[in-house]
């Protein structure tokens, strides 16, 4: 997959870990890409490395309008509304996507401005505990899942062919940087992200605190399980808050499920003969299913370092009569798609 | 540090991940080491690789008695009592240690047989999600913490010089395979292990289940945070049960602490303006403290792959009048020790 299938230049607003890494990959693939960063020092660093980057939002948006660029919002949820207001003033007709980890909250801002026919949500499931331009890198998205939303198809109005073109560009951009595109509407995305992305943060913060409460001996004894399970607690707390608070209702459901399971484990440990058989067996089976899906489980005999995705693939042609159904089907299966 | 400071041959009972890896390291260092494995196929594999291994427990223990070997119990908690009974019959005077992840439960078995003056508990904080001889490897313990217990010093009777010798051998064995020795009595060890080793398993199993409950889309969207936070849910459920159920009362305390924190987070998410500031800030600070202690936090500028332990070091001479106090001091600080 190459960038030749992206029909527009790309304009990235926000050059942190995700936006910066996307800029690097598109630039490396020789696709026309430029960006804006609020922090002047970050923008200067990027310019110093040869990237087409500005700290002037208005000028960047005017250029995006003139070039009909696809605008990528790569800022925390808390900054989305302000940027959309600026876009409405300076680049009111451009196609827009975002890479924020919550999708309902972003879509509510889109709907409040009646921008649905120019917007396609997306979310690359990639990252590290670091943030900012300094943490950005090439190949961050290689083999990562990149969710692309399609709610606009089900809003009771005929979508424009322009919207279909924007949708295709978002998909092609994700594929061009090596990601696997999984389509999902915003509500199922947020429910899934709460389970596999936001709840891990809540549990990691909690475990980090309980370990630390044990004092010096605890921290000295902490080994691989604590290290790996608390890794994402090293994320900037502001970013953790933005994603968890921005997806509060879905996260609450996942957290409540977790607390029921923990209460059962607690009861099992408090029994006269402690017993956590159900937790250990179910947890193990769930982890094995995940490993099968992500292609992580390799036979011990295998010496190949290659991990291949085991997600099913659906091929579809955007805009054909049946594609809404195919997208729903892919969402249900968690399938990645190829477009032709 | 070399194996020349271990005054006895080593006899390892149980050649799974931990026992097998210890056998490999001691063998590689040319220290006399032999072992027993209940599974004949595991024993055969080990013999085929040139190790001095038998599937005959009685013969192995008789040899340990004849050679005055240090016996290492490297079996799950559930098999400890039976092995101690066999040792009392066939090798009643040998020095004994164990590498089980809970220490109070093992010590209760030792005390029930009045074997305190020949036993020193230990626990290497190392492992992977795999188990069995096939998972064993060299260098598993390199830079890992290896806890060595010393409760016998505080039981109101003069310890034998032979016990001091066994204690030194256990420490020297741990140092010889590259570990950092942290002394702790069994109760503080179990409290710390509950926080940083057993609670991570409970939370990992829980997270694995909640993610899996989200179905195919959830498992497809799962990325690094879910992968790392559920890694230890891939551990054999029987081993997870043995360690968690064997440390139930300490784990219950850690789990209750976690549930209070989670309940606060829940309340924060359910508020009209969702707010998890306290969780995110405290969790972040705790993780940073852990990284400082383990030497994991490196400056972004550093290109060195070397991670150096930041645990304090205490040097002590076993058997001198002051050493009990030094051991308590090290336990409090989570300090590693060197002996001279």
């Amino acid at each position: 997959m190459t960038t030749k299938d992206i029909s527009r230049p790309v304009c990235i607003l926000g050059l942190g870990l995700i936006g910066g890494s996307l800029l690097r990959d598109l630039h490396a693939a020789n696709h026309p890409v430029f960006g804006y960063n609020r922090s002047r020092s970050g923008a200067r660093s990027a310019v110093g490395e040869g990237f087409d980057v500005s700290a002037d939002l208005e000028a960047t948006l005017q250029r995006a309008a003139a070039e009909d660029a696809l605008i990528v919002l790569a800022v925390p949820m808390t900054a989305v509304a302000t940027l959309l207001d600026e876009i409405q003033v300076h680049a009111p007709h451009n196609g827009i996507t975002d890479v924020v980890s919550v999708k309902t909250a972003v879509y509510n801002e889109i709907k409040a401005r009646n921008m649905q026919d120019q917007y396609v949500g997306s979310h690359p499931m990639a990252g590290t505990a670091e943030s900012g331009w300094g943490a950005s890198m090439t190949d961050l998205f290689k083999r990562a899942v990149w969710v692309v939303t399609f709610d606009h198809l089900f809003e009771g109005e005929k979508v424009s062919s322009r919207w279909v073109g924007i949708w295709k560009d978002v998909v092609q951009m994700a594929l061009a940087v090596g990601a696997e595109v999984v389509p999902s509407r915003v509500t199922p995305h947020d429910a899934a992200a709460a389970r596999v992305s936001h709840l891990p943060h809540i549990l990691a913060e909690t475990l980090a605190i309980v370990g630390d409460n044990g004092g010096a001996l605890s921290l000295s004894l902490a080994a691989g399980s604590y290290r790996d399970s608390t890794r994402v607690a090293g994320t900037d707390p502001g970013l953790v808050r933005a994603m968890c608070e921005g997806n509060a209702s879905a996260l609450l459901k996942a957290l409540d499920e977790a607390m029921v399971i923990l209460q059962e484990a607690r009861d099992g440990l408090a029994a006269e003969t402690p017993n956590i058989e159900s937790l250990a067996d179910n947890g193990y089976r769930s982890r094995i299913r995940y490993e099968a899906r992500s292609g992580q489980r390799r036979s011990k005999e295998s010496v190949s370092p290659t991990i291949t995705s085991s997600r099913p693939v659906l091929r579809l042609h955007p805009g054909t009569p049946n594609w809404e159904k195919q997208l729903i089907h892919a969402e249900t299966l968690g399938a990645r798609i190829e477009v032709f």
Side-chain angles (χ1 to χ4, degrees), chain A:
Chain A
M1 193 55 59
T2 69
T3 54
K4 72 173 169 37
D5 298 305
I6 314 172
S7 70
R8 296 167 169 80
V10 173
C11 167
I12 305 173
L13 306 182
L15 300 174
L17 172 65
I18 302 294
S21 297
L22 182 60
L23 181 80
R24 288 179 187 277
D25 280 352
L26 292 174
H27 181 83
N30 290 316
H31 188 76
V33 59
F34 56 100
Y36 155 80
N37 200 45
R38 196 182 55 163
S39 141
R40 291 191 175 273
S41 70
R44 258 198 308 272
S45 296
V47 170
E49 291 185 55
F51 295 102
D52 190 353
V53 167
S54 159
D56 182 337
L57 178 59
E58 191 177 320
T60 303
L61 288 176
Q62 284 165 348
R63 177 177 170 193
E67 298 185 13
D68 190 28
L70 174 67
I71 295 176
V72 180
L73 304 179
V75 294
M77 183 60 224
T78 41
V80 167
T82 312
L83 278 186
L84 288 177
D85 290 341
E86 293 294 322
I87 289 170
Q88 286 201 299
V89 174
H90 302 291
H93 307 298
N94 283 62
I96 304 167
T97 187
D98 75 295
V99 291
V100 178
S101 78
V102 295
K103 298 268 66 71
T104 306
V106 174
Y107 206 49
N108 287 342
E109 297 293 340
I110 292 290
K111 287 191 284 194
R113 291 165 182 80
N114 201 26
M115 298 170 93
Q116 296 96 305
D117 200 45
Q118 68 192 97
Y119 169 82
V120 171
S122 75
H123 179 206
M125 311 296 297
T128 71
E130 307 298 326
S131 54
W133 168 257
S136 69
M137 62 184 82
T138 53
D139 289 341
L140 177 66
F141 309 107
K142 207 147 241 176
R143 290 186 20 77
V145 162
W146 191 306
V147 173
V148 176
T149 69
F150 56 91
D151 299 65
H152 190 41
L153 287 170
F154 296 90
E155 288 169 341
E157 43 187 300
K158 199 166 158 25
V159 305
S160 66
S161 62
R162 178 166 161 84
W163 183 85
V164 175
I166 295 166
W167 192 90
K168 281 199 290 192
D169 275 346
V170 173
V171 169
Q172 297 293 5
M173 180 177 73
L175 294 174
V177 297
E180 298 188 356
V181 171
V182 174
S184 170
R185 287 163 297 178
V186 302
T187 303
H189 166 276
D190 283 0
R195 292 174 185 275
V196 298
S197 177
H198 304 150
L199 181 60
H201 277 92
I202 300 287
L203 296 179
E205 310 280 7
T206 301
L207 178 58
I209 295 168
V210 175
D212 192 22
N213 284 351
L217 183 64
S218 268
L219 291 184
S220 253
L221 265 53
S225 60
Y226 183 83
R227 180 193 64 223
D228 289 356
S229 296
T230 63
R231 180 179 61 79
V232 295
T235 308
D236 173 354
L239 295 178
V240 174
R241 289 185 62 187
M243 69 176 89
C244 292
E245 295 168 0
N247 195 21
S249 68
L251 178 52
L252 211 49
K253 188 169 180 308
L255 179 53
D256 282 345
E257 261 186 53
M259 290 181 74
V260 167
I261 295 168
L262 290 172
Q263 184 62 48
E264 283 171 8
R266 199 216 170 275
D267 294 344
L269 287 169
E272 201 176 317
T273 304
N275 186 325
I276 57 160
E277 179 175 9
S278 152
L279 177 78
D281 285 356
N282 291 335
Y284 178 76
R285 279 197 290 267
S286 291
R287 167 73 191 185
I288 297 305
R289 271 193 285 274
Y290 157 71
E291 290 178 359
R293 165 126 317 206
S294 68
Q296 285 202 28
R297 201 79 179 179
R298 281 168 289 165
S299 71
K300 278 186 195 164
E301 291 70 35
S302 168
V303 293
S304 162
T306 308
I307 296 176
T308 318
S309 161
S310 307
R311 296 179 191 96
V313 188
L314 286 183
R315 285 174 54 76
L316 59 84
H317 189 73
T320 50
N322 211 31
W323 81 304
E324 292 99 329
K325 278 191 191 153
Q326 290 179 294
L327 287 169
I328 296 281
H329 190 48
E331 173 191 283
T332 308
L333 296 176
R336 63 196 172 97
I337 56 168
E338 290 173 358
V339 296
F340 62 96

